Structure formats: C-alpha cells, structure tokens
Amino acid sequence: MSPRPAQSPEQTEAKRHAIIRGTLDAIVARGPEAVRLSDVATAVGMSVGTVQYYFGSREGLLTQALSVHTATVLTGIEEMSQARDGAHGSTTRHSSSARHRLHESFAAVPGVGSHDQRSRIWVELVTAARNDEGLRSCVDAVFAGWRRHFRTIIDEGVERGEFELAGLSAREVVDTIIAIIDGFDLAAVAGHAPSPETMTRILTDTADRLVAV
C-alpha cells in the first residue's frame, strides 16, 4: 500500500471525527449489526480504504465509535450538575443543597447529548452487548457513571439530613431513578418520548417521594 499524503494532526482528527459521526448515524438508522464499511464511507464521502486506514476493520470502527459515544455520555453526566450550579452562581459543587443539585441534574438529563440519538444508540448498544464483551464494557461504564453521579448526591443529602430514605436503600433509590431514565430512552426510540419538561417533572416528583424530602 502506498503511503498516504502527509496531513496535519487537525486534518487527521477531523477525518476520524467525521467517520465516527457517520458510523453513529448509521447505527441509529440500521443498528450495529447491519452497518457496513461501505455505508459509512459513502455517508462521509470517503473511500472504504480510507475508513480502513483509520480504523482497521468494521469491528474496530464500531467499537471505537461506540466507545467515543460512551465517553461523551459519561462526560455529560459528570458535568451536568456542576455546569448548572455554575450558572446559578455557585462556586463549588458542594455549595448548593443536595436537593437542588438532584433537581438540577434531572433538568439536565434530557440534554446529555442529543436525547433522540443517545436513546437510539443506547438501545442498540445494550442489545448488541449481550454477545460482545467489548460493548458490554461500554454499557457497564454508562451504568456506573449514572450510579456514581446520583449516589453521590443521595449520600450527601442523607449525611446532611436533607434526605430520609423510607423503605428503600440508597442504591435502590438510584437504580429506580436510572430505570425511569432508561424508560424514557425506550419511549424515545418508540417515538413516544414525553417532553423534556415532563421528564424532569416525573423524575423530580418520584425522587422527592423516594428520599422523603
């Protein structure tokens, strides 16, 4: 194979990003099992050889694309309450009440990535991960990210006396919250997702009852 023309790191990164974006779009449209290198190449206006040059194989491309998507979701989870606290003039993550941060997190949930794309990729990822250990690690990482975020807030609220758990453990409260978020994702894929405002209200009202605010 002849060497490719030299290009800047920025150009290389731009091509990789375009290929990954095209792959995620293809996953949303067809599901990961049906995505072919030729589909992605056509969508991004590159040759199959170029796609292979950057990612090696179809499996490598899918794994990398889903890993990048997973990292984006995790970053959104980690940043959502901090960013919203900053918008309200808070100087540290702990400067506002646990209840306020929990509610602000729920308001931010629909905005973690594009909710429609995030939901479709999540459903496809969970399905494909049943037979792929590499993809299973992506699923586990997302669950761990959601759990870590909400468990930190719940534990702080209990410690400060803001929350009182009635009947459920902290882990069970967090798992219930995540199950509701997953339900919204499934509804989005089916075309029946409620509005972001309704999602936020349902999450907020449910959590307030679970932690006896």
Side-chain angles (χ1 to χ4, degrees):
M1 179 183 294
S2 60
R4 291 182 173 271
Q7 57 186 2
S8 69
E10 291 77 14
Q11 290 174 317
T12 297
E13 184 59 28
K15 285 189 176 181
R16 288 178 60 86
H17 180 73
I19 294 170
I20 287 175
R21 187 172 63 247
T23 303
L24 292 174
D25 288 343
I27 290 172
V28 169
R30 302 180 180 87
E33 298 87 353
V35 174
R36 301 175 300 176
L37 290 178
S38 57
D39 297 326
V40 176
T42 299
V44 299
M46 301 180 194
S47 67
V48 172
T50 298
V51 176
Q52 288 178 314
Y53 175 78
Y54 286 109
F55 295 96
S57 64
R58 172 185 175 277
E59 289 72 22
L61 173 59
L62 288 174
T63 299
Q64 183 65 21
L66 290 170
S67 295
V68 168
H69 175 74
T70 298
T72 300
V73 171
L74 290 173
T75 298
I77 294 170
E78 292 296 326
E79 291 180 348
M80 62 184 181
S81 64
Q82 291 91 324
R84 294 183 71 87
D85 278 347
H88 286 76
S90 298
T91 57
T92 68
R93 189 169 66 88
H94 298 279
S95 59
S96 58
S97 70
R99 179 175 183 271
H100 172 76
R101 292 200 297 114
L102 187 61
H103 288 186
E104 291 295 275
S105 292
F106 293 147
V109 163
V112 177
S114 162
H115 186 238
D116 182 63
Q117 185 190 63
R118 188 190 86 206
S119 299
R120 291 178 183 277
I121 292 176
W122 178 239
V123 171
E124 295 290 354
L125 178 57
V126 170
T127 301
R130 295 171 60 187
N131 301 310
D132 188 312
E133 282 299 318
L135 297 183
R136 181 70 217 178
S137 67
C138 291
V139 171
D140 290 344
V142 171
F143 270 116
W146 284 117
R147 285 195 178 105
R148 182 169 56 251
H149 176 78
F150 288 115
R151 182 62 184 269
T152 297
I153 298 174
I154 297 296
D155 285 347
E156 289 176 3
V158 171
E159 182 179 350
R160 296 176 182 180
E162 295 179 49
F163 299 155
E164 181 181 346
L165 302 184
L168 296 179
S169 68
R171 179 185 175 91
E172 289 168 336
V173 170
V174 170
D175 284 348
T176 301
I177 291 170
I178 294 172
I180 296 173
I181 293 173
D182 275 346
F184 289 145
D185 287 348
L186 188 59
V189 174
H192 297 287
S195 68
E197 293 77 15
T198 300
M199 292 184 210
T200 298
R201 178 176 55 79
I202 291 172
L203 285 165
T204 298
D205 290 350
T206 300
D208 282 353
R209 287 169 172 78
L210 291 176
V211 299
V213 173

